[in-house]
Amino acid sequence: MLQQFLFFTILMGFLITVLLSPVFIPFLRRLKFGQSIREEGPKSHQKKSGTPTMGGIVFLISITVTTLVMSGKFAEPSSKTLMLLLVTLGFGVLGFLDDFIKVVMKRNLGLTSRQKLLGQIVIAVIFYLIYRQSGLSSDLSIPFTDITLHLGWFYIFIVIFWLVGFSNAVNLTDGLDGLVSGTAAIAFGAFAILAWNLSQYDVAIFSVSVVGAVLGFLVFNAHPAKVFMGDTGSLALGGAIATIAILTKLELLLVIIGGVFVIETLSVIMQVISFKTTGKRIFKMSPLHHHYELVGWSEWRVVVTFWSVGVICAILGIYIEVWM
């Protein structure tokens, strides 16, 4: 019965996105909300210029409606449900502002890095204050050990680092058709299993709502993409998965389950450090998915490979938590 409930939650999220997208995509086209492609990116991406962006709005609507409706059927929406929606929609609004500046105001870089970072920190601090007020644990468990760190108010630095770090990591990964949609579905699915195993049903319902919503978006975002999620979607998904890790007290396990996002971010950091210190590049281009494009892989091959790595990371994360 409970498994059927989760299945219908995924189905609801999927159907809302699939039904809204054919209406929303032409609306974005009429508003001329088309993606601008960076000239320094792979040349093959120039043909994507003008593809509608801000599609993340669609699955954010789906996630919100599905979570509230299905949470209401299972039990009243909990404080964890509301915190998850607060962070997800907060980062979504921040991403929307970034996209809006890029598309409407024709400033290709969107918000400045300082403005974006400030917005992310403000949302993280608000979440932390609500988290503390709810009486939730500020302990940090170290995987593979019995060590638990009692951080108290210092836990705020973990919260800020995780929310800012993973929202940006997912944002960096969003560079190929369907890449983030697929890897996010896999990672959120893993956390849904873990949350259910921990009897955190409110978090599990939210997680499967995301799975259904992004799989519905993938129908239109798979290569060749008819719509991009934009920062509206990627920042929201990154903030959401970091929040799930915090609420389930599996913060460090996110590094493994979200391994694709971590690897993509590390590739950018390594590239920058190498170029600034030696004047040489480690990769042909970063993030890492662009490197594989430039060595001759097709876009679809890169995406499927990264999805496969995401599945391995998810299975490994579940194995570590449940069986080790």
Side-chain angles (χ1 to χ4, degrees):
M1 180 66 181
L2 295 177
Q3 289 83 354
Q4 290 178 340
F5 182 82
L6 290 183
F7 171 76
F8 283 115
T9 303
I10 293 175
L11 183 62
M12 182 178 179
F14 178 85
L15 289 176
I16 291 175
T17 306
V18 167
L19 293 174
L20 280 181
S21 293
V23 176
F24 196 71
I25 293 172
F27 176 68
L28 291 174
R29 287 191 182 279
R30 286 197 297 273
L31 293 177
K32 301 186 186 305
F33 282 8
Q35 179 71 43
S36 297
I37 305 298
R38 294 184 305 166
E39 292 183 4
E40 62 269 25
K43 300 301 180 186
S44 60
H45 286 208
Q46 293 304 316
K47 61 186 178 183
K48 299 182 182 184
S49 183
T51 302
T53 188
M54 300 191 198
I57 295 172
V58 178
F59 64 71
L60 288 179
I61 293 171
S62 176
I63 291 168
T64 304
V65 173
T66 303
T67 298
L68 291 176
V69 169
M70 300 309 282
S71 294
K73 288 185 177 297
F74 187 80
E76 288 299 315
S78 66
S79 60
K80 288 184 178 180
T81 300
L82 299 179
M83 280 188 277
L84 284 162
L85 289 175
L86 168 70
V87 173
T88 304
L89 296 178
F91 275 92
V93 169
L94 186 64
F96 174 82
L97 292 174
D98 195 35
D99 287 332
F100 187 84
I101 292 170
K102 291 176 186 175
V103 174
V104 177
M105 300 178 67
K106 306 300 180 185
R107 201 172 83 192
N108 197 34
L109 295 179
L111 292 171
T112 66
S113 56
R114 183 174 297 180
Q115 290 170 334
K116 189 182 294 186
L117 179 62
L118 178 61
Q120 291 169 317
I121 291 174
V122 167
I123 295 168
V125 170
I126 292 172
F127 162 73
Y128 175 74
L129 293 175
I130 298 172
Y131 181 92
R132 287 283 297 192
Q133 189 66 29
S134 300
L136 298 173
S137 172
S138 294
D139 294 347
L140 182 68
S141 299
I142 310 299
F144 307 110
T145 72
D146 295 326
I147 298 173
T148 298
L149 303 177
H150 306 288
L151 300 178
W153 281 98
F154 286 101
Y155 189 66
I156 190 172
F157 296 108
I158 298 294
V159 170
I160 292 173
F161 186 77
W162 245 230
L163 290 180
V164 174
F166 276 93
S167 62
N168 287 324
V170 175
N171 184 239
L172 285 172
T173 306
D174 185 28
L176 299 179
D177 297 353
L179 179 55
V180 164
S181 301
T183 49
I186 294 163
F188 279 95
F191 272 108
I193 293 170
L194 294 175
W196 196 263
N197 185 61
L198 293 168
S199 300
Q200 293 197 27
Y201 304 122
D202 42 6
V203 179
I205 289 170
F206 174 85
S207 299
V208 293
S209 297
V210 177
V211 173
V214 294
L215 286 178
F217 186 73
L218 184 59
V219 173
F220 304 91
N221 184 234
H223 186 71
K226 299 178 179 64
V227 63
F228 300 138
M229 66 175 66
D231 287 4
T232 306
S234 60
L235 288 180
L237 291 175
I241 199 166
T243 305
I244 290 172
I246 290 167
L247 293 177
T248 54
K249 304 310 300 172
L250 299 173
E251 299 94 335
L252 297 180
L253 204 62
L254 177 55
V255 176
I256 295 173
I257 293 175
V260 171
F261 309 130
V262 174
I263 291 167
E264 291 271 55
T265 304
L266 287 177
S267 72
V268 174
I269 294 171
M270 290 167 62
Q271 185 88 319
V272 171
I273 292 174
S274 177
F275 187 75
K276 286 189 174 182
T277 56
T278 69
K280 297 180 180 179
R281 293 179 171 86
I282 299 174
F283 309 104
K284 289 182 178 294
M285 184 177 290
S286 64
L288 190 59
H289 54 259
H290 289 322
H291 170 81
Y292 286 108
E293 280 190 290
L294 294 179
V295 298
W297 288 24
S298 68
E299 183 169 349
W300 183 241
R301 181 184 176 187
V302 177
V303 170
V304 171
T305 301
F306 277 54
W307 286 353
S308 301
V309 173
V311 170
I312 294 170
C313 291
I315 293 172
L316 181 60
I318 293 170
Y319 176 77
I320 290 170
E321 174 61 22
V322 176
W323 286 288
M324 287 190 70

